[in-house]
Amino acid sequence: MSLYIDSADLVKVSRLLASGVFEGVTTNPTILARAGLSSADRPQLFAQLKAAGAKLVFMQATGATAADIAKDASFIREIDPAIVVKIPATEAGVTVAAKLARDSYLGQGRHCEVLLTAVYHPTQALLAAGAGVQYIAPYFGRLNDQGFNGQQIVAQIGAIATANSIETVVASLRSLDDLPALAAAGVPSFTLSDDLAIKLLNDPLTD
């Protein structure tokens, strides 16, 4: 099992990485904005996260078209080829994800690990398998917010992902109470907000 921190707050992230429990850090444009950062700050942020002990860093490529997403993915890859590129599961996003994941990165034959993000339906796990990506991120909390059975859907996504050697990284978690049931259902990885991750490390009764 792998645990990731969904944050760009360097103070909190550094504290959490120092525990040795978390594998790395996941980010997206909203998380960057919360930390007062923009897409232009990603190179410096990556260096700071690695210095703090992050073994794996995820950064999201954005854009309205496949060309725009590919251009932003190129920018991320220029920072460091070890970064996992997050791409939303839109039609344009899946198109770029498939090219990146299949050793044909912008025609340069450079392998790129990809996480298909903003996933809400099991059929999108089939898209991830078809695209050949390495990670998929279903949004558990947002599924429940929309009235769906998040646990059931995430379990279905996870089963399809596992069968296709894709790692499921469950995102959008609202409470630590959700973790045991999801883990028992076979979910291998989670990304937690920094505040939720801090709660994971501190139990009042244990203290």
Side-chain angles (χ1 to χ4, degrees):
M1 176 177 289
S2 296
L3 296 172
Y4 301 99
I5 309 160
D6 208 22
S7 175
D9 184 322
L10 282 171
V11 174
K12 291 181 179 178
V13 167
S14 296
R15 170 186 172 184
L16 290 163
L17 289 173
S19 71
V21 173
F22 298 92
E23 185 77 11
V25 179
T26 61
T27 66
N28 62 38
T30 300
I31 288 170
L32 294 179
R34 286 176 187 160
L37 303 174
S38 70
S39 59
D41 296 310
R42 288 178 292 183
Q44 181 180 3
L45 175 63
F46 174 75
Q48 292 169 323
L49 292 174
K50 292 298 288 185
K55 297 177 183 176
L56 199 60
V57 175
F58 298 74
M59 290 186 170
Q60 186 165 322
T62 61
T65 66
D68 292 338
I69 296 170
K71 182 178 179 180
D72 199 35
S74 179
F75 177 83
I76 293 171
R77 292 285 289 165
E78 289 302 320
I79 298 172
D80 194 292
I83 297 173
V84 179
V85 180
K86 295 175 61 177
I87 298 181
T90 61
E91 181 176 351
V94 170
T95 300
V96 176
K99 292 177 181 178
L100 292 175
R102 288 179 173 168
D103 295 329
S104 57
Y105 170 63
L106 299 183
Q108 299 174 28
R110 295 166 57 189
H111 180 69
C112 178
E113 290 203 335
V114 177
L115 179 146
L116 199 66
T117 190
V119 169
Y120 291 92
H121 197 279
T123 54
Q124 290 175 304
L126 299 176
L127 290 177
V133 305
Q134 291 76 25
Y135 302 88
I136 187 169
Y139 281 12
F140 179 76
R142 292 188 187 182
L143 278 165
N144 289 330
D145 292 345
Q146 295 299 316
F148 296 103
N149 185 329
Q151 185 169 333
Q152 181 181 56
I153 291 175
V154 166
Q156 291 174 333
I157 291 170
I160 296 170
T162 299
N164 289 279
S165 301
I166 300 170
E167 182 175 338
T168 302
V169 182
V170 175
S172 182
L173 289 153
R174 303 283 194 257
S175 168
L176 293 181
D177 293 336
D178 298 321
L179 293 177
L182 289 169
V187 173
S189 301
F190 301 91
T191 183
L192 309 174
S193 68
D194 45 33
D195 288 337
L196 202 60
I198 290 170
K199 287 183 180 178
L200 181 65
L201 290 173
N202 295 276
D203 187 284
L205 294 179
T206 300
D207 291 341

